Amino acid sequence: MLIRETRADDLPALFVLRGQTRDNALTPEELAGYGITPESSAAAMQRGEVKGWLCEIDGRIVGFASGDRDGGEMLVLALLPDFEGRGIGKALLGCVVAWLQSLGHARIWLVANPDPKVRAHGFYRRCGWVATGEMINGEEVMEYRGS
């Protein structure tokens, strides 16, 4: 298992992977509808606004995570279903949190599905995230409080 920083040339593969997740899968076309494309992501990375990490196993990208420099937001954590339960998601999440903490963010946050039946609901809570009671577009806002 290799965890490394995301590069711009990884982005097309990450966009495909994002559509293959168990929960909250979004295709490249759906992401484009939100204005999120490999090109816009590469530009944000080049400006230093967004930074991410990915996990490779046997040369295959199996998961990734990224955060927003200015807002302190954990933007995305995506993992292929066959690689869940191996600590990869927690490791990727930790990379983003550590980076955001190193920037001095007092508030590190994310939005997630509030449904307890969705895997992310329990995962984030086990990793030290707490629901704030705030909602954005039907998603609950969570803050990192440490694990």
Side-chain angles (χ1 to χ4, degrees):
M1 179 169 78
L2 169 69
I3 293 183
R4 64 168 174 81
E5 283 189 27
T6 302
R7 300 182 304 253
D9 62 339
D10 297 316
L11 291 171
L14 301 186
F15 273 72
V16 171
L17 186 151
R18 183 72 172 83
Q20 298 172 339
T21 59
R22 184 181 312 273
D23 296 319
N24 199 25
L26 294 171
T27 66
E29 295 77 22
E30 289 170 315
L31 289 167
Y34 295 108
I36 304 168
T37 65
E39 296 78 18
S40 69
S41 297
M45 287 172 61
Q46 185 176 17
R47 291 188 302 267
E49 296 168 0
V50 172
K51 189 171 183 178
W53 287 261
L54 59 77
C55 177
E56 290 180 331
I57 295 180
D58 297 326
R60 178 182 179 200
I61 299 173
V62 300
F64 70 98
S66 66
D68 173 62
R69 175 195 68 199
D70 297 332
E73 181 182 4
M74 170 72 197
L75 296 172
V76 62
L77 173 61
L79 190 62
L80 292 174
D82 290 348
F83 295 89
E84 293 173 356
R86 299 185 190 188
I88 297 167
K90 188 172 184 177
L92 291 168
L93 188 62
C95 290
V96 175
V97 167
W99 175 61
L100 293 172
Q101 288 174 326
S102 77
L103 297 174
H105 284 285
R107 179 181 190 231
I108 298 171
W109 64 284
L110 58 78
V111 294
N113 190 320
D115 185 348
K117 297 176 192 157
V118 175
R119 291 175 54 88
H121 185 273
F123 170 77
Y124 288 123
R125 285 162 172 78
R126 287 189 303 277
C127 290
W129 295 79
V130 176
T132 65
E134 181 184 353
M135 301 290 281
I136 298 176
N137 297 324
E139 303 276 308
E140 70 179 344
V141 175
M142 302 185 77
E143 292 181 352
Y144 182 70
R145 302 278 171 82
S147 53

